[in-house]
Amino acid sequence: MIPVLLIVIPLLTGLVTFFIKEEKSARAWALFATLVTLAVSIAGLTVLKDAKYLTHYSEWMQPLGSSFSVRLDGMGQLLCLLTAVSYPLVFMGTWSSTYKKANNFFGLMLLAQAGLMGVFVAMDALLFYFFWELALIPMYFLCSQWGGEKRIRVTFKFFIYTFVGSVLMLIGILYLQSKTPDHSFSIESFYKLGQTGVANKWIFWFFFIAFAIKMPVFPFHTWQPDTYEQAPTATTMILSGVMVKMGLLGVIRWLLPVLTSSAYMWSDFIPPLALIGLIYASLIAIRQDDIKRLVAYSSIAHIGMMCASLFVFNKYGMQGVMIQMFSHGINIIGLWIIVEIIEKRFGTRKLSELGGLAQKAPAMAILFVIIALANIALPLTNAFVGEFLMFNGIFQARSIFYVWWTVMAGMGIILSAVYTLNMIRKIFYGESNAITANAADLRWNEKLALGIIVVLIFWMGIYSQSMLQLTDGISGDILEKIKMITNKQ
Amino acid sequence: MNALILSAVLGVVMMFSGILLKQKSAIRYLAIAGLFVVLVSNILETYGTVFFKINTNGLMSFDRFALFFNSIVLAATLLYFILSARDMEKIGVNYAEYFALIFFILCGITLTSSFKSLLILFLGIEIISIPLYILTGSDKKNLKSNEAALKYFLLGSFSTGLMLMGIALFYGSQGTFSTEVAAIAVDKPSPLLITGMMLLLFSMSFKVSAAPFHFWTPDVYDGAPTVFTSFMATIVKAAVFIAFIRLFDDAFGSVSIQPKWQFWVAIITAITLLVGNITAVFQQSVKRMLAYSSIAQAGFMLLALYAMNTDAKEGILLYAAAYSLATIGIFAVLAKMTDFTFDGFNGLAKKEPLLAGTLTVFLLSLAGIPLTAGFIAKFYMLKATLLHPQGFWLAIFAILMAVVSVYYYFRVIQAMYFKEGDARTFETTARFRWALVAVAALVILIGIFPNLLLNWFYF
Amino acid sequence: MPINYYIFLSIALFAIGIVGVLTRRNAIIIFMCIELMLNAVNLLLVAFSKMHHLATLTAGDAAINAGSDGQLFVFFIMVVAAAEVSVGLAIIVMMYRNIHSVDVNFLNRLKH
Amino acid sequence: MGITQLLFWFLSVVALFSALMVITSKNPVYSVLWLIVTFFAISGHYILLNAQFLAIVNIIVYAGAIMVLFLFVIMLMNLNKETEPQKNRWLRFAGAVAGGCLLLVLVAALRNTEIKQQSALVNEGNIGLIKNLGRELFTNYVVPFEISSILFLSAMVGAVVIGKKE
Amino acid sequence: MNNVLQIVYLIPLLPFIGFLINGLGRKYLSKSIIGIIGSGVILASFVLSIWVFMEVKGGNTHVASYFNFISVGNLSIPFAFQIDQLSSLFLLIITGVGFLIHVYSTSYMHEEKTEHFGRYFSYLNLFVFSMLLLVMGANYVIMFIGWEGVGLCSYLLIGYWFKKNEYNKAANKAFIMNRIGDLAFLIAIFMIIAKVDSVNFADVFAVAEGSVKGKSFTGNDITIITLLLFVGATGKSAQIPLYTWLPDAMAGPTPVSALIHAATMVTAGIYMIARSNILYSLSPLTMNVVAIVGLATALLAATIALKQNDIKKVLAYSTVSQLGFMFLALGTGAYVAAVFHVMTHAFFKALLFLGSGSVIHAMGGEQDIRNMGGLSKKLKTTYITFLIGCIAIAGIPPFSGFFSKDAILLSAFIKNPVLYGIALFTALLTAFYMFRLLFITFTGKFRGTPEQEHHLHESPPAMTIPLIILAILSIIGGFVGIPEVLMHGGDKLTAFLSPVIAAHETHEISHTTEYGLMALSTGLVLAMILFAWTKFKNYQRSEATGFGKVLENKWYVDELYDKIIVQPLHKLGGFLKTVIEGSVIDGLVNGVGKAVNYSSRQIRLLQSGQVGSYVLLMVLSMLLIFIVQFFLRK
């Protein structure tokens, strides 16, 4: 019931939104809808956490061997909560930015939310694929309609890029389905699949590339900075805060337990790739002058860390990724909100043109510094827990190269400090200049959104158990399966 | 049999309606009503009510497959009439005759969907082709139309020659025109038979516009009046496909001979997908782009021929339905456009949001985006191909080409929504708009609940 | 008569027809060459029908009409050919009315 | 070498030669005439194969009706040697080579089929007689026969649509 | 409330509350209230610390565990505080000295705008809070939290005047260099986790002592762990190679420098190693490394300090050098001596910094000693206290510095006379540059501008009283650790810390040698002071030349780092951004699209529009297929 609601509410409200011509009311309606969704998802965490509320199965496309089966496991809970939380934050944070044809904008945003929710709860491969695309299509329209001046080309590249990945995944799904004994797409029968077969070794890549493009992991990332730069910031927030988690979830739920032995086979190869990406992205971020691109590359770096620690197959890495998925989502949305404010107020995103904001807008400065420092995993902030666990996981990896991986990850952490501090310095410190001379401080809605984010940051940073316990079971099961299979070999 | 005879009769009726009825609308309603009757009669036949008990001596068999296909085609034609019949008035004075010809074509389609003898196949193909030559050339003042007609005629009759030679050789080795598998369960097929089979393969490939026999398609589709292009590209093509599959399933389905043609079908499929998709990328006219895209779609349908299993047969019906719906819709909109180039669509979304919206749905369906009928169709094709032991790489190639197709379909969407411009259209009636919305809804409905169709199919 | 002779003869005629289609530019001639191809097929069909007739007779089967279907097929081909000719020539004439030529090389408005 | 063989070889040579003349002769009118000769030769073959009905029909329909129609059209457009367009010789050469190769390939492919020792029954066997064909046509093949009427109808309508002045 | 140890969490909590109040209320509170709150909370926790100290002295230590900070699988990291001799001692130092510095700041920062004043005090409180976390943490992770926390606070305080870009750069430098150290610390923690599945001090040391079944360290593990921890320490405590941030940290307000240098941050490394002395004692290699690095740092810093002209820079380098001494002590196994020196150093270095602050305050922000001179007349109290500080740091009995430094020298001597020699030499340099500073600043005639001259004035009591208190402390502070030879049962400190710091075996040396060493060092130091007096009693400005210049430019170490690390990375980043990202990867991606477009344009041409060519192509492909079919396949 809960998962169905999580999908249906945004879907229907989104469709309704298209017909609300008046901008104010459309925006209000959208915010209201997201708040309802949030309430539902919280209910699923608290009062209605009984299994019978969290699962739903109904017949659908039997001839194809597919069914509408959705379930909220720990990871699903976590990510649905992230989605549900981030949407109101985004709407609040960008409350003051106006769009032409606002109703379409918010409608598409809500449709995308429905898609995301679906991806996070789908327990049927085909259903998963459907929602995967359903989340993508609205993003395409959002970015190419309301984006920057280069939007059409950039968005199209993004779309094609992601589409290539997803069709490859479709082939993979079909192949596996044809191998399942009962020719079904249900996750159970996928989990029952035999691990032998040379093809699996390659099918693995069909899935991984799809997910890697989504995350994105070096070297499949080139769509991402352009898209983040060109897309309307509200969309960028969802893209970077929530959408990238689709890839991670895909790996955790649809790749590791299904093609375990292949994943194990490649597990010496993918972490270095991801970690190279981490350092690569960080170095580029250091040289960025455009805030949006800088944040984009920092996001690539963080994702690289997560992706790497997915393939170390120990609980530290897995749990670290779980909690980091949430933390990264919250933090980066916070960063984007402020970036959006800066761009709107001063009409520039160039670090070189900004400076000295701290005098004029202390509140903004403080909140930004907190969020940015959380983003580089300072203790007692949410990201610290995640990075600590992931880093630990990488260090404890079974591979013989674990020392090198650790060193690379470490370099990444230092570099992240470098570019983040530089960004803070160039935006907020120093003498204020012509552009920033008469800067106004945050508005109440922005303060509210950022305040909530900061509270979340510290809450998770100090009492991380609340999240870790949520995903403890699921990551335990997955690792159990992996261990079982890899030990057999 | 119902559909065959009734459509023939209706053809004659329409012929004379031109003389009897003066207003065009009357003719149109007559045609639509008649077609509806045909459709109903065919559905009745599906459930066992045959009006005309005629012994065809095994030349034809109206089996479930055939009847379902007929229903789909007739339904598609009905939608086609509702959407585009009005546009035929623009072409020429012989309004009634066009309907007559279309009914004759339907009559031929019922033959190609149910033949058991090469003779019927031949007649069917010809009954389809000859009226098409005429419809292609029906815009007599328009040189493009003439040119298209002549090209189509010459190349078409050339391929007919090939087909006849194939049939002759087949007859020589088999001593019969019947396409019963039992007839040729030979362990060692003779060169005579192989040659005949190859010639049949070529001529059928020509008819379904599969590379390298596709050259007529772009020119003809481009030159023909848009309404008739729509008909040609959807219903007729689907019909020929069914004939293609029936032929090679019945006549050449035996294990001893299947590998010989499957190899070539695989290659032809690959080339078709490549040529169709790649060439469409650079087109400037949407109409011509659609012609190439129809080649590309044919490539996808050929996958069914390659796989040739239950999924494939269900899939081809689904594909025929999905593809026809979307393409009819697109051409219906296209016929309302004054300018067929991509730039002609700039900013259509602002002026005609409804047209743009429905057009988007159709394009998404053709591109095979999930939750549209097109996705389910492509999905079936890929599924069938993957079930084939060697199908893996062909499937991957197909899917990558599908990505390319996204490129040119989305060019239209971009033009409509994201480019500034003033797209001009002819005025559209409310009925037309509602019909368009209905078709779009149907496309999405099939996409979300394919069971509506699939539950019928069981072979 | 050995059947091979007939096969080769009609294939030869068929090939000649194809060559004609390839080498001429006059639409009418091309069309005639296609007719030639059809006739080659007819000849082959008749020969085959007689061959099968002979085969059944030698097999001792009294089926008197064995192989007649081939000749009927020829009959149908002629029917179709006649129809095609009527339409084809109509189209060619229409073309001629518009561009005053039957040269297929003038058909080059539609390309690429 | 009986009379049958002689006739066979003679007719074959005539057919091939006249066919070649069809595609080589510059003047379209000659082509038509040569084609008629070819048809006559083929009709001869029919007679040789004792397919009298087809022989007659061939002469009446093809040589009689169709070719006259052709001739009529050509005369109408008054096409002649001068107006006859010529492909440039390389294309012609390419076409000829392609066709020739096709011929060679097919011959090579069909050189030894399993039925090559079989032979066609010449100047006897009466399936080719009108009596038999007629019975066949109106019993077993009545459906296609009726269907072909639809074909004719559509051709007729078509001719009207195309030909009628507006 | 029967036992203060039950409410030990208040000690860090109070400063944190102060931080929140000052941070959030900085716009609304008045300066005086801010000052009172800021200092008050520290005072409160100081009182508590004394209370706690008493309890601990009474012999009952305590580990208070509150909730699970992180727990994954079989690793669970509690959020726990550990109160024992070592931590309680540090609590005293931190809160005590910290309190004085707060009081001092109330008047030193008085010109600041209110909200910045509030910001300043909130930072200070946060600083103390993190330092308290660091020393109270019952496991390495909690310690790490404080560890990074002080790094953050130093970043914030150094960049306090955020309008000056070089200050912000210095702040970044401090943070990043600390991060490098922290990284090593982190990896050490991971290694411990890998071996012990726990990060609690108790468990780790238990395993190290081999008193736990199934779990044990190999010699290598210990060495690697300890080395990594030491790298962490070099970051925080400004040792080679990560020391260059500390002098730049002078950018912050002077009291902050005092806080960083004397009471808090830099002593973290010492504390951490002293805390894990059990591990270190097991790895001789590491010990040697620590000793050598420490000594080298001490010497290097001392040499640099000789030629510095910024009053705070001199003090900064002296700090680095003194820290070097402490590490030498640690390296030679004299943990107690190190802790002892931390304590005494806290007193006199705080004194010196605050003194210099008073001077700068008087000079109206002037920091270059070449523009000072003869201040002794105007700034009596400052002069005297500063003098006391110099004597203390120079190590003249019976001032506190003497005892602690003597203990270090002694342990160095026991370890290896060469070490002792160098250490002694460094000590002499210390005496020299400190008194150079003293004389140039306070003696001779004034070299500044006239208006500076008449602006000169003694600082208000809020500044002088802390000076006086600290002066007294640096005089008497040494007596808690008088060596046995001078007073029987003197060395209270060793006895006190014995539960935490296992007494390492010292092969006793004869009292005569001990006396001899003391006498020697004292004598030489006095000589040095005289030399400095003759050299600088009336100083004329002069440009440094030759080797002097090298020293003045700090051996060009910063430039070196810039060349071999910063620049290459920067260039690499640029290369990746432009070439790899722009051309290679993205070029590849776009290349696919271009290729499709191009082939589209080419294939299109097949569609020539000529019927003839269509037929030809069809026939040719048929021909091809037939040939392949009949003559090539199967």
Side-chain angles (χ1 to χ4, degrees), chain A residues 157 221-222 280 283 287 297 359 366 373 376-379 391-392 396 421 425 429-430 461-462 464-465, chain E residues 26 67-69 71 148 152 162-163 165 168 172 175 179 183 190 194 570 572 574 577 581 585-586 590:
Chain A
K157 181 175 168 186
H221 65 280
T222 47
Y280 174 87
L283 283 173
R287 290 304 300 271
Y297 277 104
Q359 311 155 43
I366 289 162
L373 291 178
I376 60 172
L378 217 68
F391 200 2
N392 186 11
Q396 318 280 1
L421 295 185
R425 181 169 66 76
Y429 298 158
I462 293 166
S464 58
Q465 285 315 91
Chain E
R26 66 192 189 291
F67 59 88
N68 258 349
F69 178 52
S71 96
E148 285 244 317
L152 169 68
F162 54 72
K163 289 188 185 179
N165 246 329
N168 302 319
N172 287 2
F175 191 87
R179 211 101 209 277
L183 186 64
F190 296 150
H570 207 245
L572 179 60
K577 180 183 171 204
E581 181 83 348
I585 298 180
D586 214 14
N590 298 337

Side-chain angles (χ1 to χ4, degrees), chain B residues 192-215:
Chain B
L192 212 58
L193 180 59
I194 301 292
T195 319
M197 182 188 73
M198 301 301 281
L199 285 168
L200 280 168
L201 179 65
F202 298 152
S203 55
M204 292 309 283
S205 310
F206 174 91
K207 296 287 180 196
V208 300
S209 66
F213 306 97
H214 67 286
F215 296 104

